[in-house]
Amino acid sequence: MCADVIVAEDDEKHAELVRRYLEREGHSVRIVGDGLAALDAVRYKEPDLLVLDVMMPRADGLDVVRVLRAEARELPVLMLTARTTEDDLLLGLDLGADDYMTKPYSPRELMARVRTLLRRTRRPAGVVEDHVLRVGGLVVDPERHEVTVDGAPVECTRGEFRILAALAAGPDRVFSRQRLLEELHGFDRYISDRTVDVHVMNLRKKIEPAPRRPVRLLTVFGVGYKLTDPAKARRA
């Protein structure tokens, strides 16, 4: 699976190491050394994947992700950072990063993360991707990456959308936090279950009439979360 990859990294030695590993797997690689150059490179020719360092001159990686998602660009983003606090990691995911690795890391694990992201974003459409998902007044369209509630459009980050699409594909089924984490990342040693809780909290603000008293996205205590049709629940 050969891909066009942009590596945004201001440490030249580190960037060259990542380049060698990516090219060894058959990918073409463009290297840029700061955040503004990363934005210019993506706008010139959007890649299949952006490997993005957080701490960079001119514009940091978080700002780059914020701008790309504001421009409605859906390219997958793998962020690299020396920051290890949970809040920093969650911020990157909330802004729209697809995966996050903390330094130092093994190049072999980095390549495994790259393969996972490329498989997820390039795999042929399956059952979930082929069908609009409806749970009462909530509609999730995976192909168009659109969500509406009672006809009103709802803006979701990539992480929020993945969780919502997974839940909508199995209405009334209870999903554990670990299962939803797998939907987000496939695997991740650095992010806690709180990642899912933050996405769910943000989703409730967007899809619930009263976020503190949810009727759609429900907590099943000690197990996880489920998505349900409130009208059906009222009739039961």
Side-chain angles (χ1 to χ4, degrees), residues 20 26 46 58 74 97 109 143 159 161 167 174 198 220 233:
R20 285 200 299 272
E46 188 163 313
R58 301 181 72 198
E74 296 296 326
E109 182 178 359
E143 223 170 77
F161 188 89
L167 292 167
V174 181
V198 170
V220 180

Side-chain angles (χ1 to χ4, degrees), residues 77-121:
V77 177
L78 171 59
M79 299 195 79
L80 309 176
T81 182
R83 299 174 179 175
T84 58
T85 68
E86 187 179 73
D87 287 344
D88 287 330
L89 305 185
L90 292 175
L91 176 58
L93 295 172
D94 283 342
L95 289 174
D98 297 273
D99 203 352
Y100 222 119
M101 292 190 68
T102 55
K103 300 176 181 179
Y105 53 81
S106 84
R108 290 179 61 191
E109 182 178 359
L110 174 62
M111 293 304 103
R113 300 289 187 101
V114 167
R115 287 192 294 271
T116 298
L117 276 177
L118 291 175
R119 278 198 304 269
R120 182 183 302 135
T121 54

Side-chain angles (χ1 to χ4, degrees), residues 1 17 26 34 37 52 82 94 108 110 139 146 152 154 169 197 200 224:
M1 185 184 296
L17 176 65
D34 63 72
L52 179 65
D94 283 342
R108 290 179 61 191
L110 174 62
V139 179
E146 294 175 350
V154 175
D197 296 334
V200 167

Side-chain angles (χ1 to χ4, degrees), residues 144-229:
R144 295 181 174 83
H145 203 276
E146 294 175 350
V147 177
T148 60
V149 175
D150 298 328
V154 175
E155 294 295 327
C156 294
T157 67
R158 289 169 71 88
E160 292 165 3
F161 188 89
R162 284 189 181 136
I163 286 180
L164 196 58
L167 292 167
D172 296 314
R173 173 187 166 192
V174 181
F175 288 75
S176 69
R177 288 175 176 83
Q178 184 57 43
R179 172 65 185 83
L180 293 173
L181 270 177
E182 291 169 3
E183 194 66 32
L184 285 171
H185 307 298
F187 57 93
D188 198 316
R189 296 180 302 170
Y190 304 108
I191 308 297
S192 74
D193 289 353
R194 184 167 171 255
T195 305
V196 172
D197 296 334
V198 170
H199 284 314
V200 167
M201 178 181 67
N202 290 335
L203 280 168
R204 283 174 171 161
K205 293 175 182 176
K206 299 175 180 183
I207 69 172
E208 295 283 3
R212 294 187 179 183
R213 296 187 298 277
V215 293
R216 286 190 171 95
L217 211 174
L218 306 180
T219 300
V220 180
F221 292 100
V223 185
Y225 297 102
K226 69 176 182 178
L227 192 66
T228 191
D229 177 359

